[in-house]
Amino acid sequence: MKIILGPASTALAERIAELTGYEKVPVIYKTFPDGENYIRLEGTVKDDNVAIVQTSSVPQDSHLMQLAFMAAAAKNNKARKVTAVVPYLAYARQDKVFLPGENVSIETIAHMLKAAGVDALITVNIHAESALNKFSFPAKNLSAIALLAEYFVQKDCRKAFALAPDKGAMYIAQQAQSVLQGEAGNLEKQRDRYTGQTSQTDKGLNVKGQTVIIFDDIISTGGTIVGAAKILRQLGATRIYTACVHGLLIGDAEKRILNAGVKEIVGTDSVPSHISKVSIAPLIAKALKALKSG
Ligand code: R5P
């Protein structure tokens, strides 16, 4: 297998190549003055299985286009099998029609990737696993939550309370709990489908005097974490941290979260930034190895 170093995830791809020992295929890329993308694989892929590592964080559309171009280039150059490793899968949150007239965006992305030549997908903590059913080729979801929880164990936060900011993230809190060995619980989140406004409520959490870590798949505007932190402070939590797999941190999200009393924001290199304190490279390397031997 060869690892294609997607422009959105070069450092992560390098680490995966290091851990697996697989050969790297660098990518030459540029953006034309009008905004169009250009890519060129700088290496041979003939008769090879390839894994393209390319996250689809901001700018999502551009990163997805680059991914499609790399897949097509791999197939045009006679790669045998193309696996797209897309840690943050954009558009996964629109996985159903919520309001009449909408599109199931993730299904369109799935069609697009298939048409470009992708044969299999590996992603990490997709918003809802059911979205994988929209893919007509094998699509696997990995979880980085244990790695994030391990970071907090190293920080002396064993036994911390793992909080999910909404019911959908409770499975995340439970995965964290099995590493932290403390308690877990969730808030309730309501969303207005027209305005996008959310509000959260507590249904009887007992976090008084506790260290609480809010775990989520994505931090985007930070509104969810800010809302959760406010409730935790009211409930008497002593220390509040937050961890996410995909730290998009749009606008002043980071500032708002820290101002809300959160001591630290921890993310992974699914979305590379200064909060990427945990690497998902070992997780992906293991999955690629399993793919090869499977
Ligand atoms: C949605 O339910 C996700 O799990 C996250 O909670 C959400 O995307 C976070 O968005 P924001 O940071 O804008 O509140």
Side-chain angles (χ1 to χ4, degrees):
M1 176 172 271
K2 288 184 178 173
I3 307 289
I4 297 181
L5 312 180
S9 296
T10 317
L12 174 61
E14 296 260 12
R15 278 206 77 186
I16 294 169
E18 221 170 86
L19 291 172
T20 53
Y22 296 157
E23 198 182 310
K24 297 182 278 193
V25 179
V27 177
I28 304 293
Y29 65 97
K30 65 180 174 188
T31 310
F32 290 104
D34 60 0
E36 290 184 358
N37 281 290
Y38 167 92
I39 68 97
R40 179 168 63 82
L41 305 184
E42 212 183 24
T44 57
V45 292
K46 189 167 183 295
D47 298 329
D48 289 317
N49 292 335
V50 297
I52 305 172
V53 184
Q54 170 87 343
T55 203
S56 57
S57 52
V58 181
Q60 299 86 329
D61 296 356
S62 201
H63 286 155
L64 285 169
M65 220 49 182
Q66 288 174 335
L67 172 61
F69 291 167
M70 288 184 282
K75 276 288 167 69
N76 290 342
N77 286 280
K78 309 268 186 298
R80 192 186 302 148
K81 183 180 171 195
V82 173
T83 299
V85 177
V86 192
Y88 173 64
L89 188 56
Y91 294 105
R93 282 175 286 181
Q94 184 72 23
D95 57 352
K96 54 172 88 86
V97 168
F98 298 97
L99 293 174
E102 287 180 350
N103 171 47
V104 180
S105 308
I106 194 61
E107 191 168 45
T108 307
I109 300 299
H111 292 160
M112 186 184 102
L113 295 181
K114 167 92 181 154
V118 172
D119 300 302
L121 175 93
I122 294 178
T123 188
V124 181
N125 290 99
I126 190 166
H127 183 59
E129 195 132 354
S130 54
L132 297 178
N133 298 333
K134 306 293 179 198
F135 289 78
S136 60
F137 46 80
K140 195 177 168 55
N141 184 37
L142 308 174
S143 179
I145 300 304
L147 292 172
L148 284 166
E150 195 53 47
Y151 173 93
F152 286 97
V153 170
Q154 300 306 326
K155 264 188 86 86
D156 217 14
C157 289
R158 191 183 287 279
K159 301 276 183 202
F161 190 106
L163 181 81
D166 56 42
K167 219 174 186 167
M170 190 52 197
Y171 87 95
I172 290 180
Q174 281 164 341
Q175 286 180 8
Q177 180 190 26
S178 68
V179 175
L180 294 166
Q181 299 291 308
E183 294 173 72
N186 69 278
L187 297 173
E188 301 282 342
K189 185 162 91 177
Q190 299 79 30
R191 183 184 298 276
D192 183 315
R193 286 279 160 210
Y194 288 93
T195 64
Q197 286 286 348
T198 58
S199 60
Q200 285 151 291
T201 43
D202 151 50
K203 294 267 162 71
L205 288 177
N206 183 9
V207 293
K208 197 171 169 53
Q210 295 217 50
T211 294
V212 182
I213 309 166
I214 312 165
F215 286 90
D216 210 350
D217 53 345
I218 304 167
I219 296 179
S220 179
T221 65
T224 301
I225 303 300
V226 169
K230 191 173 164 207
I231 294 174
L232 290 174
R233 282 199 325 273
Q234 284 163 357
L235 294 175
T238 41
R239 290 190 299 173
I240 307 170
Y241 295 92
T242 190
C244 67
V245 181
H246 317 292
L248 302 179
L249 296 183
I250 304 304
D252 61 353
E254 182 177 10
K255 199 169 144 202
R256 290 175 59 223
I257 291 171
L258 296 175
N259 285 345
V262 173
K263 287 175 79 73
E264 187 181 352
I265 310 169
V266 179
T268 77
D269 51 1
S270 158
V271 180
S273 81
H274 63 283
I275 66 145
S276 306
K277 298 169 189 172
V278 171
S279 179
I280 55 172
L283 192 70
I284 293 170
K286 193 171 162 206
L288 290 177
K289 284 277 185 189
L291 210 71
K292 200 187 172 204
S293 56

